[in-house]
Amino acid sequence: MAHATLVLLTLSSGISTGLKAFGHFEETPFFKLFSPVLAATTFVWFLYNYQIYPHFVSPLRHLPTAPGGLPVIGHVYARFQTPPCRDYLRFVKTVPNDGLIRLWNFWNTESLIITNAKSICEVLVTKSYDFEKAPKARSTLHRILGEGLIVTEGDLHKYQRKILNPYFGFRQVKDLYPVFWGKALSFSEVILSKLQEQSPANEKLPSGVVDVSPLASFMALDTIGMALTGHDFNTLHHNDDPLGRVYQYMSTPNTMIKAVLSLNILFPRWVASVVLPVEDRRISDRCAESRRLCFEMLREKRANMKASGEESPDILSKMINSNMYTDDEMTDHLLTFVAAGHETTAAAFVWAVYHLAKHPGIQKRLRDEIRANVSLDPAHQNEAMSSMEHLPLLNAVLNESLRLYPPVHQNFRMAVRDTSILGYPVLKGTYVVINNYVINRSPDLWGPTAEEFIPERWIDPETGKANKTGGASSVYANATFSHGARSCIGQGFARAEFRSMLAAFVHTFEMEMADPDEVPFMLGNITIKPLNGMKLRLRVAA
Ligand code: HEM
């Protein structure tokens, strides 16, 4: 009621100030008749939407409701919070629930956050096509990625998924392992050269402080460029690849980009161009540039393939050979894969080394495991790659770090038809929050140690081998790559790349936080990374 009254008072005073601006308008019979009618209608509207519908009529009225919420925008602020996810996590921890918590959306409409295995499974798997990305979110992504897999819905999405799945299968990822391993070794070499610059010339075990966050992004961009197109952006060594530069700009944590994208999601497209014209134009220019550069790269690639007649393992060659795609479609897919697949893996790496820097004991055991099984000698790359997949601690660290800091921290869906979750009727238009970060840290799903870094939970104590659930009672407790029809198509790709990167890095370096007291400030446009980078004190491991 307090909200309704507050909003009503604000509106009434706004209307009356507006009308008074027309001078003696308030003296006219029209005003005398109109203003009480307007006030009464507005009051009834608010009374119904803020008091009657949610508490006495809504089919969701018996669900627990998150505390707080602001007038007009309800809990929507939590979507854009910096650092992200704080309030969603608080709701899930403090509001007793059986899989659904009700939140307030704009103007006191209802939205839901899903919190247990059953509700997650229903929204993402069994009823996945009842819940689509919201039109505003899709149009914002469309602006950047075109008509790729992340943006499409319904039959077009089903079709795209079917024809793209084969490029990310087990065999295809195996073929790309040499790319992942080669780039992982270059990454360690670049860091080594940075340590050598900071150490005396004759130092056997060079050491120094390096911000690994931008380097991880360069490395992931170079890797995805090679794996997708066979084109080496080579951003690890220099910064003059035009497409590489565009992606660096778009993916670096930046509050202005976040602000423009948030405005795009909340309001009509023109609002951002009026409120933040410079940044909005810059984003448009970069999007157009990335599209043009992708198109050029595609033409060049087609011409080279025709001239040489050679087969290469990259995904673009296979797409071109299949003759199933127009140039426009291939450009959309390339933009989507590069965007979805580079900053995510870079973020995963950065959070993993953060945990290892904070847990020297685990770091040491991991190095011992890697060194006992993986040789950095390029001549032994095949054995290195196949043994990495089975190393229990390496895979446990990877899983545990992805659990605590899932690079894609939150997704949203909107019911596109009247449907239900856990038997509760969900009306068309209702928003559903799928917060991967919160699901992965929920004490209900992971127990009292949910927020602790314990890689061992991913190792079966009896067999010493990796397990699939991390000790949680359901696979749905881990939302890092999502589930069902819209789960991450690049999961196998990402894991293989991340595994290679981490193995080569931990093999070579010992690490601790440059500032042991630093608590990284999490920020992200679409993926979460530490705002101020990840400065590590590194030393070549003896
Ligand atoms: C650690 C790395 C990665 C993480 C944590 C991750 C996570 C995710 C998540 C959570 C989704 C679902 C998003 C949603 O429901 O809206 C997703 C979708 C997707 N991911 Fe990944 N991803 C990673 C790496 C990759 C890579 C390497 C690629 C490609 C090479 C990729 C391509 C995609 C695509 C195309 C989709 C959309 C799938 C669809 O809607 O059908 N991702 N990813």
Side-chain angles (χ1 to χ4, degrees), residues 270-286:
W270 58 265
V271 173
S273 61
V274 171
V275 179
L276 296 167
V278 176
E279 209 57 45
D280 187 68
R281 171 111 313 268
R282 201 171 286 159
I283 291 178
S284 290
D285 291 348
R286 301 291 156 100

Side-chain angles (χ1 to χ4, degrees), residues 198-509:
Q198 297 178 45
S199 303
N202 55 356
E203 180 63 62
K204 269 204 191 137
L205 301 175
S207 62
V209 171
V210 177
D211 181 357
V212 294
S213 182
L215 295 173
S217 298
F218 297 157
M219 136 92 196
L221 185 56
D222 292 353
T223 307
I224 199 131
M226 284 292 287
L228 281 180
T229 68
H231 172 82
D232 196 346
F233 296 125
N234 209 4
T235 52
L236 254 183
H237 291 96
H238 55 74
N239 201 8
D240 55 10
D241 185 282
L243 192 52
R245 274 209 308 268
V246 174
Y247 274 109
Q248 277 167 39
Y249 167 78
M250 293 297 283
S251 54
T252 307
N254 174 327
T255 37
M256 292 312 277
I257 296 182
K258 186 173 171 159
V260 171
L261 297 183
S262 303
L263 286 175
N264 281 179
I265 287 174
L266 290 174
F267 303 105
R269 178 71 184 80
W270 58 265
V271 173
S273 61
V274 171
V275 179
L276 296 167
V278 176
E279 209 57 45
D280 187 68
R281 171 111 313 268
R282 201 171 286 159
I283 291 178
S284 290
D285 291 348
R286 301 291 156 100
C287 293
E289 199 184 344
S290 65
R291 202 168 181 83
R292 184 183 59 74
L293 291 165
C294 263
F295 223 75
E296 262 174 30
M297 191 167 69
L298 181 60
R299 295 252 157 99
E300 224 169 85
K301 173 102 187 166
R302 204 192 283 283
N304 288 345
M305 281 171 67
K306 221 177 201 168
S308 71
E310 276 176 22
E311 279 271 322
S312 55
D314 64 82
I315 291 172
L316 185 57
S317 300
K318 292 177 184 166
M319 288 173 108
I320 292 175
N321 276 336
S322 75
N323 282 325
M324 287 171 72
Y325 309 88
T326 64
D327 282 7
D328 262 330
E329 285 168 345
M330 271 191 283
T331 304
D332 288 343
H333 293 317
L334 282 184
L335 288 170
T336 298
F337 293 144
V338 178
H342 94 275
E343 214 28 52
T344 41
T345 317
F349 174 82
V350 166
W351 292 116
V353 293
Y354 165 65
H355 286 120
L356 292 173
K358 297 296 262 181
H359 295 86
I362 297 173
Q363 185 193 140
K364 159 111 185 41
R365 281 198 289 128
L366 178 60
R367 185 169 306 105
D368 291 347
E369 182 189 76
I370 294 169
R371 286 187 164 188
N373 294 281
V374 178
S375 161
L376 294 188
D377 182 348
H380 295 112
Q381 77 171 19
N382 287 342
E383 299 108 85
M385 290 178 309
S386 60
S387 58
M388 268 188 289
E389 281 188 10
H390 306 290
L391 297 184
L393 190 56
L394 176 61
N395 288 289
V397 166
L398 186 139
N399 281 328
E400 185 67 346
S401 183
L402 283 170
R403 180 181 75 81
L404 285 173
Y405 287 95
V408 180
H409 57 297
Q410 57 186 5
N411 309 311
F412 301 92
R413 295 286 191 273
M414 195 185 83
V416 288
R417 52 187 69 88
D418 291 350
T419 177
S420 66
I421 309 175
L422 303 179
Y424 288 94
V426 173
L427 301 181
K428 182 177 171 181
T430 305
Y431 278 82
V432 179
V433 179
I434 308 161
N435 194 302
N436 304 333
Y437 179 91
V438 168
I439 293 169
N440 287 3
R441 287 173 177 245
S442 158
D444 286 348
L445 295 167
W446 293 93
T449 59
E451 297 210 60
E452 290 169 34
F453 179 72
I454 307 178
E456 290 76 10
R457 69 174 96 229
W458 295 93
I459 301 175
D460 187 310
E462 279 167 24
T463 62
K465 290 188 179 160
N467 69 48
K468 283 201 162 53
T469 60
S473 58
S474 162
V475 286
Y476 296 111
N478 184 4
T480 300
F481 290 99
S482 193
H483 298 277
R486 311 268 349 197
S487 63
C488 178
I489 199 172
Q491 174 170 181
F493 181 118
R495 284 180 177 278
E497 180 188 355
F498 181 18
R499 206 180 278 125
S500 307
M501 227 169 150
L502 198 60
F505 190 80
V506 175
H507 199 300
T508 315
F509 305 107

